[in-house]
Amino acid sequence: MSKQDWAVYHALKQPVTTLKGVGEALAEDLSLLGIKTIEDLLFHFPYRYDDCRPKDLAEVGHEETVTVEGTVHSEPVLRFYGRNKARCSFKVLVGRYLITAVIFNRPYVKQQVKVGRSIRLTGKIDKHRLQLTVQYYQWSDTASNKGEETLLPVYSVTGKLKVAQLRKWMKAALRDYAAYIPEMIPQSLLTRYKLLPRPEALRKIHFPKDYQEGKQAKRRFIYEEFFLFQLKMQALRKRHREQVEGIPQHYDQQKVKNFIRSLPFELTAAQRKALDQILHDLKSPFAMNRLLQGDVGSGKTVVAAISLYASISAGYQGAFMVPTEILAEQHYLSLKQFYRNENIQIALLTGSSTPKERREILAGLQLGTIDLVVGTHALIQKDVYFKNLGLIITDEQHRFGVEQRRQLRRKGAAPDVLLMTATPIPRTLAITAFGDLDVTVIDELPAGRKKVETYWVKEHMLDRVFRFMQNEIDQGRQAYVVCPLIEESDKLDVQNVIDFHAKLCKVFPQYRIGLLHGRLSSAEKEKTMRRFAQGELQILVTTTVIEVGVDVPNATLMIIYDAERFGLSQLHQLRGRVGRGNHQSYCILIADPKTEAGIQRMHIMRSTHDGFEVAKKDLALRGPGDFFGTKQSGLPDFKVADMIRDYRALEVARKDAQALIQNPSFWTDEQFGLLRTYLEEQLGTGEKLLD
């Protein structure tokens, strides 16, 4: 990178206090908005524009914000009130209307107001009193107002900051630093998509002449945000695949085939396809970094079990990390069942493991006498060492932070990594969002799986729900009842799990009813879940701790109280706890939503059973930030781009970034020096991307 490029790149890194009028106090307020440098300020985009094109008062509504042009018709009247407050008012003739203009806290206006002087005013109009509360004004007879702005940017502010101040500083920053604004998008892509150059786009997104100009500027920055994000993702992927030397795991292919044949069921075509991709990665010299996603009940666990079996047969150890102890115990028991005829040593390591159990497990992992460990966050503690870790599987991966997953990976010498999630994400969106991962989808349910019938009822139908529950239990089935809170809340009028458990005990004294929530000890949770799984409890009243990790084929009824309090994907996950056996299963949503979005969620749950379709609709309702868990997944908080609305641009940017990263000239050509520097800073390695 040339000295000139460095000067250009770092000119924008100067503190915002470099600008005239930005003192230390205002700089603190700006920092709360994430504005610390000139560059931060320039990329603090407006969230809307005030239309300052003059309108005919006859065409505007009461209390509408309008811009009008007229002539001062009376001398100004200035009054002071309160502490340092002022009100200046004067009459203005606007067409055939004589209105009163009121300007607050700008006493100097009195000196400017002269009868007969032309003025343009923007503010909220009171049509009944013909009074305009002025936000902005311009004198039409001053030379500086040639080419007056018709659209004024409106910015997010905080503390003592004023939108007018931000406009003033933005103009100064654009005037003084426009020459230093580097272009981040290669010229070939600018030309291909007819995108505005970066300096021009910055000027036009802040101060467009019309909405079309602002739209073109926004279009450029939508693409830029996606392109730079995808460039980072593709660089991570390249570095991981090519610079992190993986372990080619030469597993016994015949043993794996025999193990698959020994299973008491046939794998689906989707499971076989997923296995082919994973097993190919195990043999590859590159470290696997793959996301396995599938709907509830699609059979991800058996795919994980076979993958671990292959790795263990190659002489390596496996680690299976999950977010909760209940899920860890479930997987531990499932894997023991899968491997019951195999010579595989499995251990369970959680926060509830006794000191003696923990010492024995840690020793076994370090000596290599334990082949596979299933556990919670306990697996990433400092004193956990493996002799030869080959494969890491993380279930419900979105519940772990990026750093937590990284800590587990460091327990081995470039082990293969498989992330699993039962929260379906549309495949193309998953490939785009998790650009540094390979994505495998199990989009087929096992044969014979019955659809869970879903109903939405109001609370006044609770007696009918109870009768239906009684009918199912009397046929030998079991039921879940999910509530959103543990204890009664003054702030939220929602059913709580403790009260509802007490209520059901009175309604059904003949049944054994369990209570499960997050405040119980691990031992209490385990005991309750085991009793329910073994059929000792007919009804389990629970919070969302039941959402993952519970597999009770005899449970055929899921009742979700205050269902409007849950997101779509969460409701779908809860529904997936039933329908795991041979009997018809049901999900009853008890809800009285007060919002349109809440009503929509209930209708979607009734009509949609495909988890990927539910995910699409959940994305549309909630937005990608909430859906993916921005902080957990590492997704950025885009300023103007939206992963759902602008999906086409996102996909195009991904392909362009992928092509650029794979182009050898990117790593050597001087024209890409700035992008390489950007990547090195973003990835935080403190070293060059290519040694």
Side-chain angles (χ1 to χ4, degrees), residues 320-612:
F320 201 143
M321 185 167 75
V322 297
T324 66
E325 292 196 6
I326 289 177
L327 187 51
E329 290 151 8
Q330 182 81 55
H331 279 316
Y332 173 70
L333 295 173
S334 296
L335 290 167
K336 282 192 77 171
Q337 183 66 18
F338 280 132
Y339 302 143
R340 63 189 181 279
N341 298 320
E342 305 292 336
N343 184 26
I344 292 177
Q345 300 302 311
I346 312 175
L348 175 65
L349 182 62
T350 68
S352 297
S353 300
T354 66
K356 182 183 177 184
E357 289 171 338
R358 182 178 172 79
R359 283 195 302 273
E360 290 175 352
I361 292 169
L362 295 186
L365 290 174
Q366 198 163 1
L367 291 170
T369 56
I370 292 176
D371 301 301
L372 170 61
V373 62
V374 182
T376 56
H377 298 77
L379 295 182
I380 61 176
Q381 292 179 2
K382 290 181 180 179
D383 58 351
V384 179
Y385 298 97
F386 291 81
K387 182 181 180 182
N388 196 15
L389 181 60
L391 176 59
I392 295 168
I393 296 181
T394 305
D395 199 11
E396 293 302 312
Q397 61 86 25
H398 61 282
R399 296 195 175 199
F400 295 98
V402 175
E403 182 55 34
Q404 289 173 321
R405 298 197 296 264
R406 194 175 289 144
Q407 285 173 14
L408 183 55
R409 175 175 281 163
R410 293 191 190 115
K411 300 286 183 181
D416 288 315
V417 173
L418 181 66
L419 308 174
M420 300 202 309
T421 180
T423 303
I425 305 163
R427 177 180 167 78
T428 48
L429 189 57
I431 291 170
T432 303
F434 302 106
D436 58 331
L437 301 174
D438 294 307
V439 177
T440 293
V441 178
I442 301 179
D443 54 4
E444 178 185 4
L445 293 179
R449 179 66 65 104
K450 291 189 172 96
K451 182 177 72 174
V452 177
E453 293 185 12
T454 305
Y455 301 93
W456 168 30
V457 302
K458 302 288 182 72
E459 190 172 6
H460 66 80
M461 298 175 69
L462 197 56
D463 288 343
R464 288 180 61 183
V465 173
F466 286 164
R467 286 197 296 273
F468 186 79
M469 183 191 296
Q470 182 173 352
N471 184 58
E472 283 294 298
I473 295 172
D474 287 347
Q475 291 183 60
R477 315 286 177 254
Q478 292 166 278
Y480 297 102
V481 178
V482 176
C483 302
L485 293 179
I486 295 176
E487 296 170 348
E488 188 176 354
S489 168
D490 294 329
K491 295 179 181 178
L492 293 172
D493 183 22
V494 291
Q495 187 64 54
N496 67 79
V497 71
I498 292 173
D499 281 356
F500 205 79
H501 176 262
K503 182 173 185 174
L504 282 175
C505 288
K506 289 180 181 178
V507 174
F508 299 119
Q510 71 273 34
Y511 299 145
R512 293 180 298 277
I513 304 173
L515 176 64
L516 187 68
H517 56 73
R519 291 190 191 167
L520 296 175
S521 69
S522 296
E524 289 172 316
K525 287 183 210 170
E526 183 183 351
K527 181 181 178 182
T528 301
M529 275 310 311
R530 187 172 287 115
R531 291 184 68 204
F532 187 69
Q534 293 173 352
E536 294 177 23
L537 300 175
Q538 283 102 0
I539 302 172
L540 183 61
V541 185
T542 175
T543 58
T544 53
V545 295
I546 208 72
E547 184 182 340
V548 292
V550 182
D551 190 3
V552 183
N554 192 49
T556 58
L557 180 59
M558 168 63 70
I559 297 172
I560 306 175
Y561 210 101
D562 291 311
E564 72 273 19
R565 302 280 313 164
F566 300 90
L568 263 180
S569 289
Q570 195 174 35
L571 288 171
H572 182 68
Q573 292 288 314
L574 291 168
R575 177 168 62 185
R577 295 305 101 209
V578 295
R580 292 172 169 260
N582 298 322
H583 305 289
Q584 179 60 55
S585 293
Y586 308 89
C587 177
I588 300 177
L589 309 171
I590 302 174
D592 189 11
K594 301 295 190 289
T595 65
E596 188 58 38
I599 294 169
Q600 271 187 277
R601 284 202 297 274
M602 297 305 106
H603 286 307
I604 290 168
M605 285 299 296
R606 285 172 56 196
S607 62
T608 311
H609 294 83
D610 182 335
F612 289 92

Side-chain angles (χ1 to χ4, degrees), residues 76 78 80 86-88 103-114 117 135 137 139 164:
L78 179 64
F80 291 94
R87 181 182 190 274
C88 184
I103 301 178
F104 288 98
N105 302 326
R106 283 175 273 184
Y108 53 83
V109 173
K110 186 177 187 299
Q111 307 303 319
Q112 300 173 349
V113 176
K114 307 293 181 189
R117 193 173 186 189
Q135 296 170 1
Y137 66 93
W139 297 106

